[in-house]
Amino acid sequence: MQAIILAAGMGKRLKELTKDNTKCMVEVNGQKLIDRLLHQLESRKLEKIVIVVGYKGKVLRNYIETLGIKTPIEYVENPIYDKTNNIYSLALAKDYLVEDDTLLFESDIIFEDSVIDAILSDERETLALVDKYESWMDGTCVKLSENDDIIDFVPGKRFNFDEKDEYYKTVNVYKFSKHFSESYYVPFLDAYQQALGENEYYEQVLRVITMLDDPNIKAKRLSGQKWYEIDDIQDLDIAESLFSDDDEKVRLIQARYGGYWRYPDMLDFCYLVNPYFPPKKMIDEIRASFDTLLTQYPSGMKVNSLLAAKNFSVHQENIIVGNGAAELIKSLMEYLEGKTGFVRPTFEEYPNRFERTESVDFIPQNKDYSYTADDLMIFFEDKSISNLVVINPDNPSGNYIPKKDVLRLIDWAGNKGIRLIIDESFVDFSDEEDASIIDQDILSANSHLYVMKSISKSYGVPGLRLGILASGDIETIASMKKDVAIWNINSFGEFYLQIAEKYKNNYIAAMKLFRAERKRFFDELSKLPGVRVIPSQANYFMVELDENVSARGLLKKLLISYRIFIKELSSKTNGGNYLRIAIRDTEDNNRLLDALRKELS
């Protein structure tokens, strides 16, 4: 068995990273791709390794000589790498193909050892390695029969997203038997290149071969083994998080703050959304207008304020729409003067936007981090604060102040001349009906009140980036509308606001499902050994672990071994042994419960 590595390309999409190096010399976590691949092949005791070089070929060869690889390495030069595609590079190595069984690799792939083991351990002589298509993948896909026959090669230009669930992505790793290369691949390669030229791809030859009655090649499906194709700097960023050591992997994932659709096998119990909304019909309605929304400008702030006012039954001058609540938090906090009171631990977006020297923190003195409206009024009574930020239900504790007590807090703040910011992003999850204080009468009577709401969290549409701020202080609202960009939300967000009112009954039904699942999930979590679950009125639980279980250690174990991402709270709780666990649907929650039972037992 030998290996052939195609490494002649320029890697233009990696830009400065391939200015002086070939693509396979790009580093992932400090190790060059070619270094990693050659050492993986070295351990497989191959007869030889053939590398087709082109762009920066001398630089690559000089580097490989420093690696001390004992397996014989031979080189094939592609002098016109900038005018040809990889069909020509492989054609240059065709004499090697017919000499021995061959493992064929493209040099921009990174994979764990089990990927090579999967194809080598399979007794079938000629295989194309494939993996179930995911949204991050790009390039040629295939369709397979039940017995692994390749029934169609689908190049990028023929990709049909309506059929994506049927697709498998070629990993660009192949095993060719000597017989297959002699009798099938090389003859077809010569004919294809003669007919269509040198600016083609070698997989197109395989596509022709699979049309034969007996093509002599099967697909080998991966089953969870890690690999990644690196075409640009975003791919490189993902690859570094996938192939780093465990501690670094945790750090890199935590630092992404979202975008986890690029990790399709990871289950996110860290970020907080509604698991039962939006309904399929609403999604279908947005999808039906996709082309229009993608190609048309959104309306300006005036129209979008009108849409938000309609949805929340307030006056247009009392509400502003933001590109997520985070945009509005940043803008509002810049208007605050004097000392500001915060409840800690909390959602850090608020205190991070304010000078710490002017901050006054209330920290509940109990292990549940629970508090009441009276606790806040007593603590801040003599603190000479000008502003107070209250998240209700609170994040991460899930502590909830009933509406009647929030109204008392509003009156107290008004009498004290304190601006009161209530963030009710999670209030719809509470058991109390009609808990929101976004009410025109309440706003009109309290010009010192500002009510923030993240539509992303309550309504399960974080990708739309929507939030609203409602207040009786119409002057500040008007000033903030001038602060933010006129097109601060996109057409998809605007369309959502336009149609949302039609789905109010679906939203009510979704919340009933959620509350039932929260109760069930609470009961099951509470049965786990070493776990104390703090009651919550939000869509997450704060959990305290006993001293025998490290929150950070459990986070790492769940992420690495189970591909489940949770949030640990040591930085928020002064070193406390706490987790925050999102509440998802029953199936996802059960997957987490199963993992926790295994680890905590």
Side-chain angles (χ1 to χ4, degrees):
M1 178 74 74
Q2 65 181 353
I4 295 179
I5 302 172
L6 303 181
M10 299 176 69
K12 290 181 178 178
R13 283 192 280 172
L14 283 162
K15 300 180 180 178
E16 289 187 0
L17 293 176
T18 52
K19 181 180 178 182
D20 299 313
N21 291 319
T22 185
K23 191 176 184 181
C24 63
M25 292 180 70
V26 168
E27 292 186 356
V28 177
N29 297 321
Q31 184 181 33
K32 298 184 191 301
L33 289 171
I34 192 66
D35 185 350
R36 179 187 177 97
L37 176 56
L38 288 176
H39 279 96
Q40 286 175 309
L41 295 177
E42 172 93 283
S43 66
R44 268 67 187 181
K45 308 299 183 184
L46 303 177
E47 293 297 321
K48 64 176 172 289
I49 300 170
V50 179
I51 305 177
V52 183
V53 299
Y55 174 69
K56 299 293 182 182
K58 185 176 180 180
V59 174
L60 176 58
R61 293 175 69 160
N62 290 339
Y63 174 72
I64 290 173
E65 288 178 5
T66 70
L67 298 178
I69 302 298
K70 294 183 175 58
T71 306
I73 297 177
E74 300 183 27
Y75 296 94
V76 175
E77 186 79 30
N78 179 354
I80 52 174
Y81 59 84
D82 55 340
K83 300 180 179 65
T84 58
N85 272 321
N86 60 20
I87 193 172
Y88 184 70
S89 289
L90 186 55
L92 291 173
K94 65 182 180 181
D95 291 342
Y96 289 100
L97 276 174
V98 298
E99 289 180 355
D100 199 352
D101 297 339
T102 301
L103 291 175
L104 176 62
F105 299 91
E106 292 189 23
S107 63
D108 58 356
I109 307 294
I110 184 172
F111 47 80
E112 58 187 1
D113 289 350
S114 60
V115 169
I116 298 181
D117 295 337
I119 201 166
L120 283 176
S121 63
D122 195 304
E123 295 181 353
R124 293 173 293 181
E125 293 183 340
T126 300
L127 294 169
L129 202 61
V130 301
D131 201 2
K132 191 67 178 167
Y133 172 79
E134 300 288 355
S135 58
W136 60 267
M137 299 174 183
D138 190 22
T140 301
C141 291
V142 296
K143 290 184 178 180
L144 306 179
S145 70
E146 290 184 1
N147 62 347
D148 293 339
D149 289 322
I150 301 172
I151 58 179
D152 192 14
F153 267 82
V154 185
K157 62 185 179 182
R158 288 205 301 116
F159 194 98
N160 183 347
F161 284 95
D162 292 335
E163 299 178 352
K164 65 182 177 64
D165 291 340
E166 303 174 38
Y167 290 164
Y168 284 79
K169 172 70 178 71
T170 54
V171 180
N172 299 331
V173 176
Y174 297 88
K175 180 171 72 172
F176 289 174
S177 70
K178 178 182 176 182
H179 168 72
F180 177 78
S181 295
E182 287 177 330
S183 303
Y184 292 87
Y185 194 80
V186 170
F188 276 91
L189 175 66
D190 288 339
Y192 196 99
Q193 190 171 226
Q194 186 174 359
L196 295 174
E198 300 165 343
N199 200 22
E200 300 290 332
Y201 296 93
Y202 68 83
E203 287 179 320
Q204 292 168 298
V205 179
L206 288 172
R207 180 186 173 201
V208 174
I209 293 173
T210 58
M211 295 178 184
L212 301 175
D213 289 340
D214 184 13
N216 237 258
I217 184 171
K218 295 279 190 176
K220 172 65 177 179
R221 309 177 203 225
L222 289 178
S223 55
Q225 297 91 337
K226 287 189 300 184
W227 67 279
Y228 216 85
E229 183 177 10
I230 301 174
D231 286 324
D232 56 35
I233 56 174
Q234 175 63 32
D235 292 335
L236 181 59
D237 179 60
I238 297 290
E240 289 191 330
S241 66
L242 287 174
F243 290 91
S244 58
D245 63 54
D246 291 351
D247 289 327
E248 180 67 3
K249 185 177 298 182
V250 171
R251 188 190 71 79
L252 290 171
I253 292 290
Q254 287 177 317
R256 294 189 68 85
Y257 300 105
Y260 298 125
W261 51 270
R262 290 183 174 273
Y263 303 82
D265 62 336
M266 188 174 79
L267 193 54
D268 177 14
F269 273 87
C270 181
Y271 287 85
L272 311 169
V273 295
N274 189 332
Y276 295 106
F277 196 85
K280 182 179 183 300
K281 185 176 179 181
M282 186 183 207
I283 295 172
D284 289 342
E285 184 171 357
I286 295 173
R287 184 181 291 119
S289 299
F290 181 90
D291 292 353
T292 300
L293 299 174
L294 182 66
T295 58
Q296 298 288 330
Y297 274 93
S299 301
M301 175 61 71
K302 181 177 180 181
V303 171
N304 289 322
S305 294
L306 185 63
L307 287 172
K310 177 193 73 168
N311 275 283
F312 291 94
S313 301
V314 298
H315 298 160
Q316 182 179 350
E317 61 269 23
N318 292 105
I319 197 166
I320 178 174
V321 183
N323 181 16
E327 179 187 39
L328 302 178
I329 293 170
K330 179 180 183 297
S331 179
L332 177 62
M333 296 302 283
E334 290 174 354
Y335 282 89
L336 303 188
E337 297 178 350
K339 292 183 178 180
T340 297
F342 298 98
V343 180
R344 306 299 290 268
T346 190
F347 178 49
E348 295 296 331
E349 193 69 19
Y350 285 98
N352 284 349
R353 296 292 180 183
F354 202 74
E355 291 291 336
R356 292 300 298 149
T357 56
E358 292 295 303
S359 300
V360 180
D361 293 340
F362 168 70
I363 302 175
Q365 298 302 302
N366 60 80
K367 296 182 72 175
D368 287 357
Y369 290 95
S370 61
Y371 57 90
T372 66
D374 289 310
D375 291 332
L376 297 180
M377 289 185 282
I378 292 170
F379 179 83
F380 287 109
E381 177 68 28
D382 59 355
K383 298 300 186 294
S384 300
I385 60 172
S386 300
N387 320 285
L388 176 60
V389 177
V390 178
I391 299 174
N392 190 46
D394 208 346
N395 179 5
S397 68
N399 182 78
Y400 180 66
I401 301 174
K403 183 175 180 178
K404 61 181 179 59
D405 293 328
V406 172
L407 294 175
R408 287 197 300 115
L409 186 62
I410 294 170
D411 289 341
W412 171 84
N415 293 332
K416 297 280 292 182
I418 295 172
R419 284 185 170 190
L420 180 62
I421 297 95
I422 301 287
D423 188 317
E424 60 167 53
S425 294
F426 305 103
V427 78
D428 294 350
F429 296 106
S430 70
D431 291 330
E432 183 176 16
E433 295 184 7
D434 190 29
S436 174
I437 54 170
I438 301 178
D439 176 277
Q440 186 59 51
D441 290 339
I442 295 174
L443 299 177
S444 297
N446 297 282
S447 60
H448 64 290
L449 174 65
Y450 306 81
V451 188
M452 193 77 69
K453 192 179 191 75
S454 166
I455 292 174
S456 301
K457 296 177 177 63
S458 294
Y459 294 87
V461 287
L464 294 182
R465 303 303 305 132
L466 286 173
I468 58 102
L469 174 67
S471 176
D473 181 1
I474 59 176
E475 292 182 1
T476 297
I477 293 291
S479 296
M480 289 177 63
K481 287 178 180 178
K482 294 177 182 177
D483 284 346
V484 300
I486 186 173
W487 290 302
N488 69 325
I489 69 169
N490 60 41
S491 295
F492 294 94
E494 178 184 349
F495 188 72
Y496 172 87
L497 291 173
Q498 179 180 315
I499 66 174
E501 201 167 22
K502 295 190 296 183
Y503 295 93
K504 281 192 173 180
N505 288 336
N506 299 88
Y507 186 60
I508 293 170
M511 287 304 181
K512 289 181 179 178
L513 288 173
F514 171 81
R515 293 177 187 117
E517 176 58 20
R518 177 172 59 198
K519 183 180 184 305
R520 186 199 74 89
F521 193 33
F522 177 88
D523 292 340
E524 293 301 316
L525 284 171
S526 299
K527 296 175 184 176
L528 296 172
V531 169
R532 187 178 69 87
V533 189
I534 298 171
S536 170
Q537 287 289 288
N539 62 333
Y540 47 84
F541 290 118
M542 190 174 181
V543 170
E544 185 180 23
L545 304 175
D546 71 22
E547 60 185 13
N548 297 320
V549 182
S550 161
R552 289 183 177 179
L554 185 57
L555 160 66
K556 182 168 74 172
K557 187 68 175 177
L558 290 174
L559 181 61
I560 303 304
S561 300
Y562 301 92
R563 306 297 293 154
I564 294 174
F565 183 37
I566 59 175
K567 186 176 183 65
E568 65 92 13
L569 302 172
S570 59
S571 62
K572 286 178 174 283
T573 58
N574 195 28
N577 204 22
Y578 290 88
L579 301 172
R580 190 191 68 193
I581 297 174
I583 301 169
R584 297 175 62 97
D585 64 22
T586 301
E587 180 181 355
D588 289 347
N589 293 337
N590 284 343
R591 179 175 155 186
L592 174 61
L593 286 166
D594 288 343
L596 289 172
R597 289 185 188 108
K598 291 175 183 177
E599 292 305 314
L600 298 174
S601 62

